[in-house]
Amino acid sequence: MNLQKKIDDVERRVIAACQRSGRIRDEIHIVAVTKYTSLEMTEAVLQSGCLHIGESRWQDAKPKWDALGSLGRWHFIGHLQTNKVKDIINKFQYIHSLDRLSLAKELDRKAREKNIQVKCFIQVNVSGESSKFGLAPAELISFAEKLVSFSHLEVLGLMTMAPYEAPDQQIRQIFSDLRRLKDDLNEKSIFNYKIPHLSMGMSNDFEIAIEEGATWIRLGSVIVGENEE
Ligand SMILES: *Cc1c(COP(=O)(O)O)cnc(C)c1O
């Protein structure tokens, strides 16, 4: 399948998931995850109209960002080391992996120097897998309360990853738990605005994520993979 056909196919599946769950297509934003692909493929993705590009390591992203940076909006979706913040600040407009206070401090400090706001998602390890980064759900409220004082971070919402292979019902539960955690933050008025977003859903589970309230889905293989059937 060529790229445009894959993108069209994803679009049909997004629309169908919206229809099943009574949602509006415009509420769902797609990040095209290009972390495994070449500069040429990333350029083709941008040219096909996918504006939002996701990368998980600065070393891999750098050549693409250097060539194409101004053409897209860049999302850092991987684990972010504090000493890499200086490299990505001012380049990646969105951070999906805010998972600890030391990172929040450094992002806020560097953003202040540049006089910018950084859009962040707090990563929550809902599934509890030891291989995954993110705050435990029980730590979320107190972490969010601490973020309020960082004036250069704009918290957009929460992010999670479901287990790669799990029954649909378990994946659905993880996504609905993340939605409940967001609702809880908003009910407790932790921020002085309602956080609007949920970054959840990947190639193998984005339809479930949409049905459970995702507003950002992060799609790699289904868009840029070699052999999607
Ligand atoms: C790689 C990655 C994705 C995309 O994965 P696919 O299964 O290829 O869609 C999404 N989110 C994060 C955090 C990733 O690391």
Side-chain angles (χ1 to χ4, degrees), residues 59-75:
Q59 296 95 299
D60 299 336
K62 186 176 187 306
K64 303 171 201 175
W65 195 92
D66 287 346
L68 307 167
S70 63
L71 302 178
R73 304 275 154 69
W74 295 73
H75 294 246

Side-chain angles (χ1 to χ4, degrees), residues 33 35-36 77 159 161 164 202-204 218-221:
V33 177
K35 64 187 178 190
Y36 299 126
I77 62 169
M159 178 275 215
M161 292 167 80
Y164 192 68
M202 302 171 33
S203 291
N204 58 330
R218 308 177 310 268
L219 305 180
S221 53

Side-chain angles (χ1 to χ4, degrees), residues 126-129 132 161-175 202-206 208:
V126 178
S127 71
E129 290 172 283
K132 289 202 160 52
M161 292 167 80
Y164 192 68
E165 278 183 2
D168 282 5
Q169 198 45 50
Q170 191 183 332
I171 291 172
R172 189 177 295 283
Q173 185 67 51
I174 285 165
F175 292 153
M202 302 171 33
S203 291
N204 58 330
D205 56 20
F206 70 92
I208 302 174

Side-chain angles (χ1 to χ4, degrees), residues 36-105:
Y36 299 126
T37 70
S38 62
L39 172 58
E40 291 70 29
M41 176 60 99
T42 306
E43 186 169 22
V45 168
L46 282 163
Q47 279 166 354
S48 72
C50 294
L51 179 66
H52 294 275
I53 299 293
E55 286 279 336
S56 58
R57 286 158 48 100
W58 170 239
Q59 296 95 299
D60 299 336
K62 186 176 187 306
K64 303 171 201 175
W65 195 92
D66 287 346
L68 307 167
S70 63
L71 302 178
R73 304 275 154 69
W74 295 73
H75 294 246
F76 201 92
I77 62 169
H79 181 63
L80 181 53
Q81 291 172 278
T82 308
N83 65 7
K84 292 283 168 15
V85 168
K86 62 179 185 319
D87 298 323
I88 63 114
I89 200 82
N90 231 3
K91 300 188 177 76
F92 284 74
Q93 292 89 357
Y94 298 79
I95 311 292
H96 289 245
S97 48
L98 177 56
D99 62 353
R100 61 199 190 280
L101 203 57
S102 57
L103 179 59
K105 280 186 183 149

